[in-house]
Amino acid sequence: MGATEWIGAGSLAAWVWLALGQGFFWRTDVRLPARADPERWPPVAVVVPARDEAAVLPVSLPSLLAQKYPGRAEVVLVDDGSTDGTGELARELAAGRGGLPLTVTAPGEPEPGWTGKLWAVRHGMALVRERGDAEYVLLTDADIAHSPDSLRELVAAARSAELDLVSQMARLRVVSPWERLIVPAFVYFFAQLYPFRWVNRPGARTAAAAGGCVLLRRAVAERAGLPDSIRHAVIDDVTLAGAVRRAGGRIWLGLGDRVESVRPYAGLGTLWRMVSRSAYAQLRHNPLLLAGTVAGLALVYLAPPATLAAGLAAGSATAAALGGAAWAVMTGTYLPMLRYYRQPLRLAPLLPCTALLYLLMTVDSAVQHYRGRGAAWKGRTYGAPGAS
């Protein structure tokens, strides 16, 4: 066989292995485990770190205040140095409204070594600890809207399955053409890196969470030293799940039916920044891992259509068949995610185009790091841990 055929064969072998041996990552049926109402509903505190979230707060915050939770619950919104009136708006949204009580607090600028979000989470969890006996803390982002029974179902699942961390991947907004192309693939790639079935296996090494919705048992959080023990983390959700698992906690991660992101990503630029701000941190700022990732993305996602095209152009039926078969397997594994996001299935063959964009975003993330810009988000820039 020639080089093209070997590349096609390697790509097809990779896809057969991914489809069957990577925890069936492509399936979208991992939802909240079987649950029953507990005899006693434990007290819960909802902590919402928020920085310049006035645009989305009118949709997300009322959904938290309206939670129909049978036990005692409260909402703590931590205004992380907002300049758009986030804190004042939160108070206005809660004024005269029934439902869960709201506290708005502000921690000031982060101390050295802390990322802004985790600094806000620390402040919120410290306030909860001072106030009393909340057994669970729900960490949720300011752009996440919850159905009225979301908190109840999360706590019931945690109690029924004896879980210390229950996390749901919020259904992200998919409206614009760029969102349709990039957002479902974002969740697909995440599940490929952290197969939910592996994460949910007791004692497994794979640990991950989705930061938009994390119900955490306070006792385990304190045993793990959270959030202080992960204060430098840019990818805070995955790092948090790892800390819980190392502390002996049981974790669960799946797709959400009751939590949705209301943040719009209308243009390519905002989506690009969403991915590139943390992509190189995901690779631990390691140039060898970057090179391996680029090569892997090229072989797995770009080689199938390239091999098919090259085989057709050169009259090589073998190369064309290998490339076409690999592309077909890839397309088939993407269909469930498109169905979950209620998107046209005709988008599935475009996954190589999306993968190319992610490859470029990852390289750009590394370039920005070496230019000294690090992981940037909402006016703050974070370098590698320990960097001066």
Side-chain angles (χ1 to χ4, degrees), residues 235-258:
I235 307 174
D236 53 89
D237 43 13
V238 173
T239 311
L240 182 147
V244 170
R245 173 149 280 168
R246 288 191 297 275
R250 293 189 60 193
I251 68 177
W252 184 93
L253 169 64
L255 293 174
D257 291 317
R258 295 173 175 83

Side-chain angles (χ1 to χ4, degrees), residues 311-365:
L312 292 175
S316 171
T318 301
L322 290 168
W327 197 356
V329 176
M330 178 201 316
T331 299
T333 64
Y334 192 39
L335 292 175
M337 190 61 70
L338 289 175
R339 290 194 187 98
Y340 171 73
Y341 271 97
R342 308 181 189 101
Q343 295 304 302
L345 300 186
R346 64 177 180 273
L347 294 175
L350 298 180
L351 188 56
C353 300
T354 308
L356 176 59
L357 286 173
Y358 274 86
L359 186 156
L360 296 174
M361 293 171 188
T362 302
V363 172
D364 180 59
S365 179

Side-chain angles (χ1 to χ4, degrees), residues 53-235:
E53 298 288 9
V56 296
L57 216 57
V59 179
S60 60
L61 184 59
S63 76
L64 288 172
L65 301 177
Q67 286 299 298
K68 299 185 183 303
Y69 183 66
R72 190 168 69 257
E74 64 172 327
V75 179
V76 177
L77 185 138
V78 185
D79 184 1
D80 179 23
S82 299
T83 59
D84 66 350
T86 288
E88 293 81 356
L89 177 60
R91 294 186 183 93
E92 293 172 7
L93 291 169
R97 180 190 294 270
L100 303 187
L102 171 71
T103 299
V104 178
T105 182
E109 282 299 303
E111 292 181 356
W114 284 82
T115 61
K117 180 179 177 180
L118 288 172
W119 177 250
V121 167
R122 177 182 186 270
H123 188 75
M125 290 183 68
L127 184 61
V128 170
R129 186 169 57 250
E130 291 170 4
R131 285 187 168 180
D133 60 349
E135 293 183 36
Y136 292 88
V137 176
L138 174 61
L139 305 176
T140 185
D141 289 343
D143 63 337
I144 302 297
H146 292 250
S147 67
D149 63 345
S150 172
L151 183 58
R152 177 185 181 129
E153 293 298 307
L154 286 165
V155 172
R159 283 296 215 214
S160 298
E162 298 182 348
L163 297 166
D164 300 294
L165 183 154
V166 179
S167 180
Q168 287 187 293
M169 176 74 73
R171 198 188 302 262
L172 304 178
R173 180 183 183 270
V174 179
V175 177
S176 72
W178 283 114
E179 287 171 337
R180 289 191 176 97
L181 182 66
I182 292 175
V183 167
F186 177 83
V187 181
Y188 173 90
F189 293 145
F190 183 91
Q192 191 176 80
L193 284 173
Y194 306 102
F196 296 165
R197 284 173 172 77
W198 289 2
V199 170
N200 300 340
R201 195 180 298 161
R205 291 193 303 173
T206 305
C213 177
V214 178
L215 182 74
L216 183 61
R217 191 191 299 268
R218 250 191 65 204
V220 173
E222 292 174 2
R223 189 162 75 231
L226 295 170
D228 298 58
S229 61
I230 63 168
R231 58 187 176 274
H232 63 276
V234 175
I235 307 174

